[in-house]
Amino acid sequence: MIGIIDYNMGNLASVYNACHLLDTKATIVQNPEELKNFDRIILPGVGAYADAMEHLNTTGMKEAILGFAKTGKPMIGICLGMQLLFESSEEFGLTKGLGLIEGNVVRFDKSKMHEDFKIPHMGWNTIANKEHKLFEGLKNPYLYFVHSYHAVTDEKNIIGKTTYGYEFASTVNKDNIFGFQPHPEKSHDNGLKILKNFMNIK
């Protein structure tokens, strides 16, 4: 059983539909008390970091997510959901995140990029991945990205990197917590394979 957390951010339906394409029972969850009933959870999201954290804080979902993380059961953040796993984001001022993985979320640094590179990073790109159970059966998969900010974290937490103007962390893992910057639910077979691998993680 997979719980997909609904916290008033976009992209719920496509993640839900991707789970069902994989014949996996998934439920969209709004009640924090229900998280404990699931084997694993997905924190999706498209939108503003501060708005997302405000909703998680005011509804009690933040504490429920932190409690779930302590159980050792797998959870994955996708796009904005990945960024929320970190300690803070500089988007529209500094906002504290969930703090499940050490590091911060910063805007793409135009001073490090050729002028041809536009922000947001939008479109298909490759993840140079380490050998990892999340990437089982895949090597440097091509996936769909839409984002203006990216995570900065210790190398030990990074299992995949992508280059857009410069190299950044696009996939992370710390213990039972996983983060995935691109959208697997919009990335055809490669994305579905990654979601399937997540569902198989013990």
Side-chain angles (χ1 to χ4, degrees), residues 4-6 9-21 26 28 44-46 185-186 195:
I4 302 171
I5 299 173
D6 180 2
M9 296 289 117
N11 221 37
L12 279 175
S14 53
V15 173
Y16 177 84
N17 291 336
C19 290
H20 282 266
L21 277 174
I28 293 174
V46 174
E185 76 284 0
K186 296 181 180 179
L195 285 175

Side-chain angles (χ1 to χ4, degrees), residues 2-3 5 35 39-44 56 61-62 64-78 81-82 84-85 98 100-101 134 172-180 198 201-202:
I2 291 184
I5 299 173
L35 282 196
D39 300 318
R40 61 201 66 222
I41 59 174
I42 298 175
L43 182 65
L56 293 178
M61 189 62 84
K62 175 183 175 181
I65 293 170
L66 297 179
F68 186 94
K70 289 177 182 176
T71 68
K73 293 187 283 189
M75 65 173 287
I76 190 169
I78 294 172
M82 167 175 155
L84 295 172
L85 300 175
L98 294 169
L100 290 168
I101 302 177
L134 195 64
V172 293
N173 171 221
K174 180 182 178 184
D175 302 324
N176 57 314
I177 313 298
F178 302 86
F180 203 68
F198 170 70
I201 287 171
K202 304 298 185 185

Side-chain angles (χ1 to χ4, degrees), residues 145-174:
F145 290 76
V146 183
H147 63 121
S148 300
Y149 293 77
H150 65 84
V152 176
T153 186
D154 192 282
E155 189 70 28
K156 67 184 179 184
N157 299 322
I158 301 172
I159 58 172
K161 295 181 180 180
T162 296
T163 299
Y164 185 73
Y166 55 87
E167 196 174 62
F168 67 92
S170 53
T171 316
V172 293
N173 171 221
K174 180 182 178 184

Side-chain angles (χ1 to χ4, degrees), residues 1-192:
M1 282 283 290
I2 291 184
I4 302 171
I5 299 173
D6 180 2
Y7 58 109
N8 278 1
M9 296 289 117
N11 221 37
L12 279 175
S14 53
V15 173
Y16 177 84
N17 291 336
C19 290
H20 282 266
L21 277 174
L22 294 168
D23 296 320
T24 299
K25 190 171 182 181
T27 302
I28 293 174
V29 185
Q30 294 178 322
N31 182 354
E33 292 296 319
E34 294 178 3
L35 282 196
K36 60 182 180 291
N37 300 328
F38 294 92
D39 300 318
R40 61 201 66 222
I41 59 174
I42 298 175
L43 182 65
V46 174
Y49 194 103
D51 291 345
M53 282 307 306
E54 181 179 10
H55 191 85
L56 293 178
N57 280 315
T58 57
T59 60
M61 189 62 84
K62 175 183 175 181
E63 292 306 315
I65 293 170
L66 297 179
F68 186 94
K70 289 177 182 176
T71 68
K73 293 187 283 189
M75 65 173 287
I76 190 169
I78 294 172
C79 195
L80 174 61
M82 167 175 155
Q83 295 178 5
L84 295 172
L85 300 175
F86 290 92
E87 294 170 297
S88 67
S89 171
E90 65 175 31
E91 182 182 358
F92 304 120
L94 194 66
T95 302
K96 289 184 66 175
L98 294 169
L100 290 168
I101 302 177
E102 298 83 3
N104 304 290
V105 176
V106 302
R107 186 172 174 83
F108 275 107
D109 186 347
K110 284 290 287 181
S111 70
K112 298 179 181 178
M113 304 166 75
H114 188 275
E115 61 184 12
D116 290 344
F117 287 89
K118 307 300 182 186
I119 300 172
H121 172 209
M122 181 182 299
W124 294 81
N125 207 335
T126 301
I127 294 181
N129 62 287
K130 296 179 181 178
E131 282 198 21
H132 189 278
K133 50 197 169 184
L134 195 64
F135 291 109
E136 186 175 343
L138 296 167
K139 181 65 176 175
N140 301 333
Y142 203 49
L143 298 134
Y144 185 75
F145 290 76
V146 183
H147 63 121
S148 300
Y149 293 77
H150 65 84
V152 176
T153 186
D154 192 282
E155 189 70 28
K156 67 184 179 184
N157 299 322
I158 301 172
I159 58 172
K161 295 181 180 180
T162 296
T163 299
Y164 185 73
Y166 55 87
E167 196 174 62
F168 67 92
S170 53
T171 316
V172 293
N173 171 221
K174 180 182 178 184
D175 302 324
N176 57 314
I177 313 298
F178 302 86
F180 203 68
Q181 183 61 61
H183 289 275
E185 76 284 0
K186 296 181 180 179
S187 299
H188 307 316
D189 290 347
N190 283 340
L192 291 175

